Amino acid sequence: MAREAALAACLEAVLGSRSSANRVFELLEPLVGQEEPEDIVSAARSCSRLFGALLERRELFVGPLPEQDASLAESYSAEDKYRIWMRHRYRDCVGCLGELMRHDSFQVKEMALCTLMKFVELEAQYPLIKIEWKGTLTFPYDLLKVVVDGLLPTEEDASLLISRFQEYMEYDDVRYFVMKAVTASILQVMQKTKERPLPFYQQNVFSLISPINMPNKESEMVKFMVKQDNREELKLSKLQAHKQMFQKMWLTFLKHKLPTGLYKKVLVILHDSVLPYMNEPTLMMDFLTVAYGIGGAISLLALNGLFILIHQHNLEYPDFYKKLYSLLDPSIYHVKYRARFFHLTDLFLSSSHLPAYLVAAFIKRLARLALTAPPEALLMVIPFICNLFRRHPACRVLVHRPGGPADMSEDPYVMDEEEPSKSRALESSLWEIQSLQSHYHPDVAKAAAVLNQSLSEMEDDISGLLELSNYELFDKEVKKKAADVPLEFEQVRGLFGKKNDIFAEHFSLD
């Protein structure tokens, strides 16, 4: 309390008389010393009030800031010398607050962030840039860059502080300049790493840019922190400029190698939150190609992005289905991303214009891999295969082939062939599904028996089966009511039957 009272008295003295201007150092000192978090927060609050008042009173030098020694020249008036000197103290304060955004205490970080953003808002209203002609952009970009750099440390996770900052991203001009500052930060930081990932830094960048909510129409861009008179003439008010900056930021971020976990996070949001707001979505081709080469779930998610570019943006990518086919291996029925894999594969194979040989190759490989799949996966993949038959009637020859191969030794299908067109799938039959009709699990056997009958025209809804788990299957079996099972052909009339009656008569009391 005594420290707060001393700071309050100092603040009042500096604002009350210019003769006490040197006491500003008493306010700045706790920001650089090894003080307790509470004392630093109190000092930051006092500095916020001091420089906020000086900005509103226009007592800070406006225009390019001269060096402090140069300001002592006689060419400057006493008024200008004071304003230049105090503007230097303001710059010292901003530097200290930028450093405090890396402090161990979140309370201090949050106070530093809020104080800096208050200064951004005040500088937007009372710019320190000299307006030489109407239309000069007065947004305090350099000050916002200090904030963005503080939000993107390289050695710690700053997601909590970034979430606190998100409220300011509602301003269209703040969002634009944040994207510009992030782009500059990535170029500055990542060029020093020689293609080595920086997990904390790149995760912080993703946490900051992934929630960006881009406008769909120019008419939606109405909330600006800086009030410009002729805003309609400024590039900042054009949606095209925002999309260009958004695209540049993402391409700059994704051209560097990412930590493996971050590839998944980026690819999951890419089709909804990134591609629709880019001026040239096909520029993502290089990133998606690199991501596909990583393997597993990342490859699948990368193919989802490529699929969108092919269908919506006319991208030529002839090996798409070959790469999807290569992802079909025994692990697909066991991995935790199984539901997403089959959801996307269903989407990729939804077109009725796909050639029969290609769909037949997918059906055969899925059926062959099903021989070693767990029951919960089989209950999903059998209806999945049935839906493919409904979309592509030419493939039904796999089911209705008299005298076709009865087991693997007779099967002409080449499982190891990477090219679907050379796999000879259409010459084969689905003996694998016939084998599953003898599966130990009754539900699997029943599902496989569906192919013995003519299929209905309506596709099966597999959405409820995609995430079916072994636990759910077991739980369902446990909850089944057991039917009464007769254990004896003739109904028992007593413990020993007729002998019991004779025994009772012989020892009758009568």
Side-chain angles (χ1 to χ4, degrees):
M1 291 297 290
R3 187 63 178 268
E4 284 191 26
L7 290 170
C10 182
L11 173 64
E12 188 176 346
V14 174
L15 288 175
S17 172
R18 291 188 178 182
S19 62
S20 302
N22 276 330
R23 293 193 66 185
V24 70
F25 291 110
E26 296 177 34
L27 299 176
L28 295 173
E29 185 181 3
L31 301 183
V32 294
Q34 299 296 319
E35 306 286 338
E36 292 295 321
E38 293 78 11
D39 294 334
I40 297 174
V41 168
S42 298
R45 193 178 292 118
S46 298
C47 288
S48 172
R49 291 171 184 164
L50 170 64
F51 292 109
L54 293 176
L55 281 163
E56 290 174 355
R57 283 154 48 167
R58 312 296 288 160
E59 292 188 12
L60 296 180
F61 186 79
V62 175
L65 183 62
E67 292 295 327
Q68 193 163 333
D69 292 340
S71 67
L72 300 176
E74 294 182 1
S75 56
Y76 291 101
S77 65
E79 179 71 18
D80 281 344
K81 288 178 181 179
Y82 169 78
R83 293 185 178 190
I84 292 170
W85 186 85
M86 196 56 85
R87 172 88 178 271
H88 276 283
R89 303 294 74 76
Y90 173 61
R91 189 172 68 173
D92 294 341
C93 178
V94 167
C96 291
L97 291 171
E99 291 294 325
L100 288 175
M101 289 184 70
R102 311 286 175 94
H103 197 275
D104 293 337
S105 167
F106 180 76
Q107 183 186 11
V108 172
K109 293 178 184 176
E110 185 180 28
M111 188 65 200
L113 170 65
C114 294
T115 303
L116 285 169
M117 287 310 297
K118 178 187 175 182
F119 289 161
V120 169
E121 199 165 351
L122 286 169
E123 278 197 41
Q125 295 177 39
Y126 310 102
L128 297 176
I129 301 168
K130 188 174 287 186
I131 301 174
E132 297 179 353
W133 64 84
K134 192 176 181 182
T136 300
L137 190 62
T138 58
F139 190 93
Y141 169 71
D142 290 338
L143 181 54
L144 185 65
K145 179 75 166 57
V146 173
V147 176
V148 171
D149 288 343
L151 291 171
L152 303 175
T154 58
E155 302 296 335
E156 64 174 323
D157 179 9
S159 55
L160 190 59
L161 192 62
I162 289 169
S163 65
R164 180 68 178 82
F165 175 74
Q166 290 301 331
E167 64 183 77
Y168 300 104
M169 297 286 273
E170 295 176 7
Y171 293 100
D172 293 298
D173 48 357
V174 171
R175 183 180 60 245
Y176 177 86
F177 285 109
V178 164
M179 293 190 293
K180 182 179 178 180
V182 168
T183 305
S185 174
I186 296 169
L187 290 171
Q188 181 182 352
V189 173
M190 294 306 296
Q191 70 177 0
K192 301 174 184 177
T193 68
K194 298 179 180 179
E195 296 306 312
R196 178 175 51 84
L198 286 176
F200 281 120
Y201 176 77
Q202 289 170 299
Q203 177 59 54
N204 290 331
V205 172
F206 180 75
S207 298
L208 181 58
I209 68 178
S210 57
I212 288 179
N213 188 18
M214 288 287 287
N216 292 304
K217 297 180 290 185
E218 210 162 278
S219 58
E220 295 177 4
M221 297 168 55
V222 293
K223 191 173 182 181
F224 292 88
M225 184 175 281
V226 175
K227 307 296 185 285
Q228 293 291 146
D229 295 332
N230 58 338
R231 181 168 301 284
E232 64 281 354
E233 299 175 13
L234 293 173
K235 182 176 74 170
L236 193 60
S237 63
K238 305 297 182 185
L239 178 60
Q240 192 75 0
H242 283 249
K243 292 176 80 171
Q244 193 70 34
M245 186 57 69
F246 180 81
Q247 175 176 290
K248 184 179 179 181
M249 174 188 68
W250 273 103
L251 291 175
T252 304
F253 176 55
L254 297 178
K255 79 176 183 179
H256 300 283
K257 186 177 180 181
L258 302 177
T260 304
L262 201 51
Y263 274 105
K264 292 182 184 178
K265 293 179 182 179
V266 170
L267 290 166
V268 164
I269 69 165
L270 195 69
H271 64 289
D272 280 335
S273 303
V274 181
L275 292 179
Y277 303 105
M278 293 179 66
N279 285 332
E280 300 176 79
T282 52
L283 292 175
M284 280 290 181
M285 173 73 176
D286 290 342
F287 166 72
L288 291 170
T289 304
V290 170
Y292 171 80
I294 294 173
I298 295 174
S299 295
L300 176 72
L301 293 170
L303 285 182
N304 185 30
L306 288 169
F307 184 76
I308 291 168
L309 294 182
I310 291 168
H311 278 258
Q312 298 180 11
H313 303 283
N314 301 316
L315 177 73
E316 291 290 333
Y317 198 77
D319 289 339
F320 178 83
Y321 285 99
K322 178 182 175 182
K323 291 192 171 184
L324 177 62
Y325 186 70
S326 70
L327 293 179
L328 299 181
D329 60 37
S331 69
I332 60 167
Y333 291 125
H334 304 273
V335 291
K336 63 181 180 181
Y337 59 85
R338 184 187 71 203
R340 177 174 285 276
F341 181 93
F342 280 95
H343 168 74
L344 293 175
T345 304
D346 188 49
L347 174 67
F348 301 154
L349 298 175
S350 60
S351 173
S352 59
H353 299 293
L354 294 174
Y357 77 82
L358 178 67
V359 179
F362 275 91
I363 290 174
K364 271 299 291 183
R365 183 166 277 194
L366 286 170
R368 181 67 61 83
L369 296 173
L371 293 174
T372 56
E376 63 272 16
L378 293 172
L379 290 174
M380 174 270 300
V381 79
I382 292 173
F384 183 93
I385 290 173
C386 290
N387 285 346
L388 292 179
F389 281 126
R390 291 184 176 99
R391 293 173 201 164
H392 307 276
C395 294
R396 294 188 184 184
V397 65
L398 294 174
V399 180
H400 307 293
R401 171 165 278 141
D407 57 35
M408 196 180 301
S409 62
E410 302 175 9
D411 198 342
Y413 171 68
V414 185
M415 178 73 172
D416 297 329
E417 175 57 55
E418 294 181 0
E419 186 65 58
S421 60
K422 298 178 181 178
S423 66
R424 301 177 64 192
L426 276 175
E427 302 172 31
S428 182
S429 71
L430 278 192
W431 58 266
E432 297 92 345
I433 301 299
Q434 191 171 6
S435 300
L436 291 176
Q437 292 174 11
S438 304
H439 196 274
Y440 72 86
H441 197 292
D443 289 351
V444 173
K446 183 179 177 182
V450 169
L451 285 174
N452 291 340
Q453 309 160 9
S454 59
L455 294 172
S456 62
E457 292 186 7
M458 185 72 72
E459 288 192 12
D460 294 326
D461 181 13
I462 63 169
S463 58
L465 301 171
L466 290 175
E467 299 193 35
L468 185 66
S469 67
N470 190 34
Y471 172 79
E472 290 174 302
L473 215 56
F474 180 79
D475 196 47
K476 179 183 174 184
E477 290 296 320
V478 169
K479 290 180 179 178
K480 277 185 179 178
K481 285 189 176 181
D484 291 334
V485 180
L487 301 176
E488 182 66 46
F489 181 72
E490 294 183 5
Q491 187 174 359
V492 178
R493 291 182 296 172
L495 184 61
F496 299 108
K498 291 182 179 180
K499 290 183 179 180
N500 186 39
D501 296 337
I502 297 170
F503 181 82
E505 290 175 7
H506 182 75
F507 290 99
S508 173
L509 293 174
D510 297 332

